[in-house]
Amino acid sequence: MEKIWLKEYDNDVAPEIDADKYPSLVDIFEKSVSEYAHKRAFINMGHSITFEDLDVLSKQFAVYLQTSGLEKGDAVAIMMPNLLQYPVALFGILRAGMTVVNVNPLYTARELQHQLTDANAKCIVIVENFASTLEKVIDKTPVKQVVLTAMGDLLPFPKRWLVNFVVKHVRKLIPSFELPNAIKFNRALAMGESGNFSKPSIIGEDIAFLQYTGGTTGVSKGAMLTHRNMVANLEQVAAVFEGSVSPGKDMVVTALPLYHIFALTSNCLTFLRFGCPNLLITNPRDMNAFVKELKKHNFAMLTGVNTLFNGLLHTPGFAELDFSRFKFALGGGMAVQKPVAEKWQQVTGKVLVEGYGLTECSPVVSVNPVSKAQYKGSIGLPLPSTEIMIKDEDGNQCDIEQPGELFVKGPQVMAGYLGREEATAEVLQDGWLATGDVAKIDEQGYLYIVDRKKDLILVSGFNVFPNEIEEVAAMHSGVLEAAAVGVPHEVSGEVVKLYVVKKDPELTEKDVIAHCKSLLTGYKVPKIIEFRQDLPKSNVGKILRRELRSDES
């Protein structure tokens, strides 16, 4: 379709980017560590490493990988939360010309076995807290090398010893395990220090990441994200945020896990490109500790999902933080709800910018301009060099404001799913990616996600979109969180069931239904209310409707 959104771009944002500006992510990395050498790169647990430190340590890890029998193109898995070891391992793997396989540390043994086997991972870098899971399946995977790290391994002595002692012996967070051939992370670095780095030739078509989808529609699949895909998405995102970020100065807060594509690109890689300090939060679920950590820093940006922002807003002390250096928050991963966005702006004085992406797009597809951002329920404007198309069920292009399936085309779209030609062919046609999301576009070119196709609730032939029900429920002062699903009904096919977490303990079923009735057409009003202490969430805090639906089956 015509790029009607270009007229809404800020004046300094070009409509196109050069996806081949850098041959690989490694070239961007080398430029940043040289230009910002003495500035802080990553901060965690009160300790920071500079870009120069990151350069030295990642090169040592790359040398270790190269001299341990691995070859260019081999897959190396990383299984850890946000620690200083993560970027060291990440850039070490990339600099060695190998492929990064990000693994959720909370995976079960079955899930871990599937991913390591599917990716044909030859090596894994894992924090010892989760080593017992690996022990159960390692003999059933291609993994030949294990690099084992403890939480505090890159902290200075005696803090390193103290953190590792507390984690293991006081908090007892490390289940017993046996991985007799594992090598310690710091030992691997020492081995790399004495070797010679052989810089491989890396081209844009080489696979940088095997990034696994959440498996919400069948088995988890590895999206092949090339260096060109990732470089393109960095250039696209940088083009939009260039005027809002002060290179080498602004601190970004990374509470979402770096193994997730949102934080990987939007935090780790984007702000490395800008030479900005990155505050890593290891356990964002401990909101009180999170807020205490924020109090120590003059942060400028924060990324997250709706549940994270909502949680911070309800944590004592957050509203009293110093927001004088704060510029904006970036929300993605799930819909940002209007009550949360409005409360965020009220408390921080700055906008919560919503964007949209998916693993298969490296991941960013669209984002609201910071200069014009105000909550309107939109996921923003398509990025430079991005084409979008919205089709109805017959494959015809939809009119303005008409909902249909969103298709995306651009240099950030993946090469395909590893080893899954049929699955790739289902979603990739002539370079167009079928997102599976129902969207619409307005006259100015702003996109709106109406909902996921599979989450649609069909009531007497009428489409009901869970996002709308959840947002209305969240407007009630007594509701903390809500999730809507469809449940079978003899007459109407399905009715809406709403799961609610109370903010006000006195809240009743009648209160919720009366509130929804005042704001929704009759067939959209929930017929069943179930109160819960919490709602099932993914590793980045996205509410998992599929688990709620499975509870009903």
Side-chain angles (χ1 to χ4, degrees), residues 72-105:
K72 179 181 181 289
D74 280 346
V76 181
I78 306 178
M79 186 172 179
M80 70 175 79
N82 290 354
L83 299 168
L84 293 175
Q85 295 92 301
Y86 181 91
V88 170
L90 171 79
F91 293 111
I93 296 166
L94 293 174
R95 295 180 85 176
M98 298 171 192
T99 298
V100 177
V101 182
N102 279 305
V103 181
N104 182 349

mmCIF file of all heavy atoms in Angstrom, residues 72-105:
data_model
loop_
_atom_site.group_PDB
_atom_site.id
_atom_site.type_symbol
_atom_site.label_atom_id
_atom_site.label_comp_id
_atom_site.label_asym_id
_atom_site.label_seq_id
_atom_site.Cartn_x
_atom_site.Cartn_y
_atom_site.Cartn_z
ATOM 1 N N LYS A 72 33.359 -21.526 12.620
ATOM 2 C CA LYS A 72 32.463 -20.450 12.172
ATOM 3 C C LYS A 72 31.121 -21.055 11.774
ATOM 4 O O LYS A 72 31.048 -22.069 11.091
ATOM 5 C CB LYS A 72 33.082 -19.727 10.978
ATOM 6 C CG LYS A 72 32.214 -18.606 10.417
ATOM 7 C CD LYS A 72 32.885 -17.938 9.221
ATOM 8 C CE LYS A 72 32.042 -16.803 8.673
ATOM 9 N NZ LYS A 72 30.837 -17.252 7.978
ATOM 10 N N GLY A 73 30.048 -20.423 12.224
ATOM 11 C CA GLY A 73 28.702 -20.878 11.896
ATOM 12 C C GLY A 73 28.100 -21.824 12.912
ATOM 13 O O GLY A 73 26.887 -22.078 12.879
ATOM 14 N N ASP A 74 28.918 -22.369 13.841
ATOM 15 C CA ASP A 74 28.371 -23.260 14.864
ATOM 16 C C ASP A 74 27.425 -22.492 15.791
ATOM 17 O O ASP A 74 27.603 -21.292 16.036
ATOM 18 C CB ASP A 74 29.496 -23.885 15.696
ATOM 19 C CG ASP A 74 30.163 -25.054 14.998
ATOM 20 O OD1 ASP A 74 29.601 -25.544 14.003
ATOM 21 O OD2 ASP A 74 31.260 -25.476 15.435
ATOM 22 N N ALA A 75 26.429 -23.197 16.311
ATOM 23 C CA ALA A 75 25.451 -22.585 17.211
ATOM 24 C C ALA A 75 25.911 -22.714 18.655
ATOM 25 O O ALA A 75 26.273 -23.800 19.112
ATOM 26 C CB ALA A 75 24.090 -23.251 17.037
ATOM 27 N N VAL A 76 25.898 -21.586 19.366
ATOM 28 C CA VAL A 76 26.287 -21.554 20.785
ATOM 29 C C VAL A 76 25.126 -20.959 21.576
ATOM 30 O O VAL A 76 24.669 -19.844 21.279
ATOM 31 C CB VAL A 76 27.557 -20.721 21.008
ATOM 32 C CG1 VAL A 76 27.952 -20.724 22.484
ATOM 33 C CG2 VAL A 76 28.707 -21.251 20.150
ATOM 34 N N ALA A 77 24.642 -21.690 22.574
ATOM 35 C CA ALA A 77 23.490 -21.255 23.361
ATOM 36 C C ALA A 77 23.930 -20.438 24.575
ATOM 37 O O ALA A 77 25.001 -20.671 25.140
ATOM 38 C CB ALA A 77 22.680 -22.463 23.816
ATOM 39 N N ILE A 78 23.090 -19.478 24.962
ATOM 40 C CA ILE A 78 23.286 -18.714 26.206
ATOM 41 C C ILE A 78 22.032 -18.882 27.041
ATOM 42 O O ILE A 78 20.928 -18.610 26.568
ATOM 43 C CB ILE A 78 23.513 -17.215 25.947
ATOM 44 C CG1 ILE A 78 24.650 -16.978 24.958
ATOM 45 C CG2 ILE A 78 23.803 -16.495 27.265
ATOM 46 C CD1 ILE A 78 24.879 -15.501 24.632
ATOM 47 N N MET A 79 22.216 -19.336 28.284
ATOM 48 C CA MET A 79 21.073 -19.583 29.171
ATOM 49 C C MET A 79 21.339 -18.909 30.516
ATOM 50 O O MET A 79 21.915 -19.502 31.427
ATOM 51 C CB MET A 79 20.870 -21.094 29.348
ATOM 52 C CG MET A 79 19.636 -21.493 30.124
ATOM 53 S SD MET A 79 19.411 -23.307 30.053
ATOM 54 C CE MET A 79 17.937 -23.526 31.061
ATOM 55 N N MET A 80 20.952 -17.641 30.610
ATOM 56 C CA MET A 80 21.168 -16.895 31.848
ATOM 57 C C MET A 80 20.279 -15.659 31.894
ATOM 58 O O MET A 80 19.827 -15.175 30.844
ATOM 59 C CB MET A 80 22.639 -16.493 31.987
ATOM 60 C CG MET A 80 23.125 -15.436 31.029
ATOM 61 S SD MET A 80 24.842 -14.937 31.364
ATOM 62 C CE MET A 80 25.746 -16.295 30.614
ATOM 63 N N PRO A 81 20.035 -15.135 33.091
ATOM 64 C CA PRO A 81 19.294 -13.878 33.211
ATOM 65 C C PRO A 81 20.228 -12.709 32.891
ATOM 66 O O PRO A 81 21.352 -12.908 32.417
ATOM 67 C CB PRO A 81 18.865 -13.873 34.680
ATOM 68 C CG PRO A 81 19.955 -14.629 35.376
ATOM 69 C CD PRO A 81 20.389 -15.696 34.402
ATOM 70 N N ASN A 82 19.777 -11.487 33.176
ATOM 71 C CA ASN A 82 20.577 -10.303 32.882
ATOM 72 C C ASN A 82 21.753 -10.173 33.844
ATOM 73 O O ASN A 82 21.599 -9.746 34.984
ATOM 74 C CB ASN A 82 19.703 -9.050 32.950
ATOM 75 C CG ASN A 82 18.705 -8.973 31.813
ATOM 76 O OD1 ASN A 82 18.736 -9.800 30.901
ATOM 77 N ND2 ASN A 82 17.826 -7.992 31.849
ATOM 78 N N LEU A 83 22.924 -10.567 33.381
ATOM 79 C CA LEU A 83 24.174 -10.482 34.125
ATOM 80 C C LEU A 83 25.228 -9.887 33.205
ATOM 81 O O LEU A 83 25.070 -9.891 31.984
ATOM 82 C CB LEU A 83 24.623 -11.870 34.585
ATOM 83 C CG LEU A 83 23.693 -12.650 35.521
ATOM 84 C CD1 LEU A 83 24.145 -14.107 35.633
ATOM 85 C CD2 LEU A 83 23.664 -11.993 36.910
ATOM 86 N N LEU A 84 26.328 -9.418 33.764
ATOM 87 C CA LEU A 84 27.414 -8.876 32.946
ATOM 88 C C LEU A 84 27.981 -9.928 32.004
ATOM 89 O O LEU A 84 28.499 -9.605 30.921
ATOM 90 C CB LEU A 84 28.527 -8.327 33.846
ATOM 91 C CG LEU A 84 28.160 -7.092 34.686
ATOM 92 C CD1 LEU A 84 29.316 -6.726 35.618
ATOM 93 C CD2 LEU A 84 27.797 -5.907 33.807
ATOM 94 N N GLN A 85 27.871 -11.198 32.404
ATOM 95 C CA GLN A 85 28.391 -12.265 31.555
ATOM 96 C C GLN A 85 27.632 -12.368 30.232
ATOM 97 O O GLN A 85 28.170 -12.854 29.232
ATOM 98 C CB GLN A 85 28.316 -13.629 32.269
ATOM 99 C CG GLN A 85 29.198 -13.740 33.502
ATOM 100 C CD GLN A 85 28.456 -13.345 34.765
ATOM 101 O OE1 GLN A 85 27.959 -12.234 34.886
ATOM 102 N NE2 GLN A 85 28.370 -14.262 35.727
ATOM 103 N N TYR A 86 26.372 -11.931 30.238
ATOM 104 C CA TYR A 86 25.563 -12.083 29.019
ATOM 105 C C TYR A 86 26.165 -11.317 27.836
ATOM 106 O O TYR A 86 26.428 -11.918 26.778
ATOM 107 C CB TYR A 86 24.102 -11.678 29.256
ATOM 108 C CG TYR A 86 23.277 -11.863 28.001
ATOM 109 C CD1 TYR A 86 22.615 -13.039 27.746
ATOM 110 C CD2 TYR A 86 23.241 -10.876 27.015
ATOM 111 C CE1 TYR A 86 21.920 -13.238 26.560
ATOM 112 C CE2 TYR A 86 22.561 -11.058 25.832
ATOM 113 C CZ TYR A 86 21.895 -12.243 25.611
ATOM 114 O OH TYR A 86 21.238 -12.419 24.424
ATOM 115 N N PRO A 87 26.380 -9.986 27.923
ATOM 116 C CA PRO A 87 26.938 -9.305 26.751
ATOM 117 C C PRO A 87 28.345 -9.778 26.393
ATOM 118 O O PRO A 87 28.716 -9.773 25.211
ATOM 119 C CB PRO A 87 26.938 -7.822 27.161
ATOM 120 C CG PRO A 87 26.830 -7.817 28.640
ATOM 121 C CD PRO A 87 26.055 -9.044 28.999
ATOM 122 N N VAL A 88 29.132 -10.195 27.388
ATOM 123 C CA VAL A 88 30.466 -10.712 27.097
ATOM 124 C C VAL A 88 30.364 -11.970 26.234
ATOM 125 O O VAL A 88 31.045 -12.109 25.207
ATOM 126 C CB VAL A 88 31.244 -11.006 28.401
ATOM 127 C CG1 VAL A 88 32.538 -11.764 28.098
ATOM 128 C CG2 VAL A 88 31.547 -9.708 29.141
ATOM 129 N N ALA A 89 29.494 -12.899 26.650
ATOM 130 C CA ALA A 89 29.298 -14.131 25.878
ATOM 131 C C ALA A 89 28.673 -13.834 24.521
ATOM 132 O O ALA A 89 29.107 -14.359 23.485
ATOM 133 C CB ALA A 89 28.426 -15.107 26.663
ATOM 134 N N LEU A 90 27.672 -12.989 24.502
ATOM 135 C CA LEU A 90 26.963 -12.645 23.268
ATOM 136 C C LEU A 90 27.921 -12.129 22.196
ATOM 137 O O LEU A 90 27.973 -12.650 21.068
ATOM 138 C CB LEU A 90 25.896 -11.587 23.561
ATOM 139 C CG LEU A 90 25.200 -10.968 22.344
ATOM 140 C CD1 LEU A 90 24.144 -11.912 21.824
ATOM 141 C CD2 LEU A 90 24.589 -9.624 22.677
ATOM 142 N N PHE A 91 28.684 -11.100 22.537
ATOM 143 C CA PHE A 91 29.559 -10.497 21.537
ATOM 144 C C PHE A 91 30.776 -11.374 21.257
ATOM 145 O O PHE A 91 31.336 -11.309 20.154
ATOM 146 C CB PHE A 91 29.946 -9.082 21.963
ATOM 147 C CG PHE A 91 28.784 -8.131 21.953
ATOM 148 C CD1 PHE A 91 28.265 -7.615 23.132
ATOM 149 C CD2 PHE A 91 28.174 -7.791 20.760
ATOM 150 C CE1 PHE A 91 27.169 -6.756 23.123
ATOM 151 C CE2 PHE A 91 27.073 -6.931 20.735
ATOM 152 C CZ PHE A 91 26.573 -6.419 21.923
ATOM 153 N N GLY A 92 31.155 -12.208 22.218
ATOM 154 C CA GLY A 92 32.216 -13.172 21.958
ATOM 155 C C GLY A 92 31.800 -14.178 20.901
ATOM 156 O O GLY A 92 32.563 -14.499 19.983
ATOM 157 N N ILE A 93 30.579 -14.669 21.010
ATOM 158 C CA ILE A 93 30.053 -15.635 20.036
ATOM 159 C C ILE A 93 29.971 -14.998 18.646
ATOM 160 O O ILE A 93 30.404 -15.576 17.648
ATOM 161 C CB ILE A 93 28.669 -16.148 20.481
ATOM 162 C CG1 ILE A 93 28.777 -16.927 21.798
ATOM 163 C CG2 ILE A 93 28.044 -17.036 19.400
ATOM 164 C CD1 ILE A 93 27.446 -17.179 22.488
ATOM 165 N N LEU A 94 29.426 -13.790 18.584
ATOM 166 C CA LEU A 94 29.289 -13.099 17.297
ATOM 167 C C LEU A 94 30.653 -12.798 16.676
ATOM 168 O O LEU A 94 30.854 -12.960 15.473
ATOM 169 C CB LEU A 94 28.491 -11.806 17.476
ATOM 170 C CG LEU A 94 27.008 -11.966 17.852
ATOM 171 C CD1 LEU A 94 26.377 -10.607 18.131
ATOM 172 C CD2 LEU A 94 26.229 -12.685 16.753
ATOM 173 N N ARG A 95 31.597 -12.379 17.504
ATOM 174 C CA ARG A 95 32.936 -12.040 16.982
ATOM 175 C C ARG A 95 33.669 -13.287 16.468
ATOM 176 O O ARG A 95 34.528 -13.186 15.591
ATOM 177 C CB ARG A 95 33.761 -11.343 18.064
ATOM 178 C CG ARG A 95 33.207 -10.006 18.471
ATOM 179 C CD ARG A 95 34.053 -9.354 19.544
ATOM 180 N NE ARG A 95 35.177 -8.624 18.970
ATOM 181 C CZ ARG A 95 36.032 -7.900 19.680
ATOM 182 N NH1 ARG A 95 35.896 -7.830 21.002
ATOM 183 N NH2 ARG A 95 37.019 -7.261 19.089
ATOM 184 N N ALA A 96 33.310 -14.446 17.021
ATOM 185 C CA ALA A 96 33.916 -15.701 16.547
ATOM 186 C C ALA A 96 33.249 -16.197 15.269
ATOM 187 O O ALA A 96 33.633 -17.240 14.732
ATOM 188 C CB ALA A 96 33.821 -16.761 17.641
ATOM 189 N N GLY A 97 32.239 -15.452 14.786
ATOM 190 C CA GLY A 97 31.553 -15.841 13.562
ATOM 191 C C GLY A 97 30.531 -16.945 13.781
ATOM 192 O O GLY A 97 30.117 -17.621 12.831
ATOM 193 N N MET A 98 30.121 -17.121 15.038
ATOM 194 C CA MET A 98 29.174 -18.192 15.369
ATOM 195 C C MET A 98 27.773 -17.636 15.573
ATOM 196 O O MET A 98 27.563 -16.424 15.551
ATOM 197 C CB MET A 98 29.679 -18.943 16.610
ATOM 198 C CG MET A 98 31.023 -19.612 16.361
ATOM 199 S SD MET A 98 31.810 -20.288 17.829
ATOM 200 C CE MET A 98 33.458 -20.637 17.171
ATOM 201 N N THR A 99 26.808 -18.517 15.757
ATOM 202 C CA THR A 99 25.402 -18.141 15.864
ATOM 203 C C THR A 99 24.942 -18.234 17.313
ATOM 204 O O THR A 99 25.160 -19.249 17.979
ATOM 205 C CB THR A 99 24.528 -19.059 14.995
ATOM 206 O OG1 THR A 99 24.923 -18.909 13.625
ATOM 207 C CG2 THR A 99 23.056 -18.720 15.136
ATOM 208 N N VAL A 100 24.290 -17.171 17.790
ATOM 209 C CA VAL A 100 23.779 -17.130 19.152
ATOM 210 C C VAL A 100 22.399 -17.778 19.224
ATOM 211 O O VAL A 100 21.511 -17.465 18.417
ATOM 212 C CB VAL A 100 23.676 -15.680 19.670
ATOM 213 C CG1 VAL A 100 23.058 -15.641 21.069
ATOM 214 C CG2 VAL A 100 25.052 -15.018 19.677
ATOM 215 N N VAL A 101 22.230 -18.686 20.187
ATOM 216 C CA VAL A 101 20.927 -19.294 20.454
ATOM 217 C C VAL A 101 20.517 -18.880 21.861
ATOM 218 O O VAL A 101 21.080 -19.350 22.853
ATOM 219 C CB VAL A 101 20.977 -20.836 20.365
ATOM 220 C CG1 VAL A 101 19.591 -21.430 20.600
ATOM 221 C CG2 VAL A 101 21.534 -21.283 19.021
ATOM 222 N N ASN A 102 19.571 -17.958 21.953
ATOM 223 C CA ASN A 102 19.119 -17.486 23.264
ATOM 224 C C ASN A 102 18.140 -18.475 23.875
ATOM 225 O O ASN A 102 17.191 -18.904 23.216
ATOM 226 C CB ASN A 102 18.457 -16.114 23.133
ATOM 227 C CG ASN A 102 19.467 -15.002 23.060
ATOM 228 O OD1 ASN A 102 20.329 -14.870 23.933
ATOM 229 N ND2 ASN A 102 19.392 -14.179 22.015
ATOM 230 N N VAL A 103 18.382 -18.818 25.154
ATOM 231 C CA VAL A 103 17.565 -19.812 25.834
ATOM 232 C C VAL A 103 16.983 -19.211 27.117
ATOM 233 O O VAL A 103 17.706 -18.614 27.915
ATOM 234 C CB VAL A 103 18.393 -21.070 26.203
ATOM 235 C CG1 VAL A 103 17.515 -22.108 26.900
ATOM 236 C CG2 VAL A 103 19.039 -21.666 24.957
ATOM 237 N N ASN A 104 15.699 -19.396 27.295
ATOM 238 C CA ASN A 104 15.023 -18.963 28.525
ATOM 239 C C ASN A 104 15.516 -19.821 29.697
ATOM 240 O O ASN A 104 15.343 -21.041 29.681
ATOM 241 C CB ASN A 104 13.509 -19.132 28.328
ATOM 242 C CG ASN A 104 12.700 -18.676 29.530
ATOM 243 O OD1 ASN A 104 13.237 -18.412 30.597
ATOM 244 N ND2 ASN A 104 11.393 -18.600 29.346
ATOM 245 N N PRO A 105 16.099 -19.222 30.739
ATOM 246 C CA PRO A 105 16.597 -20.010 31.871
ATOM 247 C C PRO A 105 15.515 -20.793 32.617
ATOM 248 O O PRO A 105 15.832 -21.740 33.338
ATOM 249 C CB PRO A 105 17.221 -18.947 32.797
ATOM 250 C CG PRO A 105 17.485 -17.783 31.920
ATOM 251 C CD PRO A 105 16.411 -17.800 30.884
#
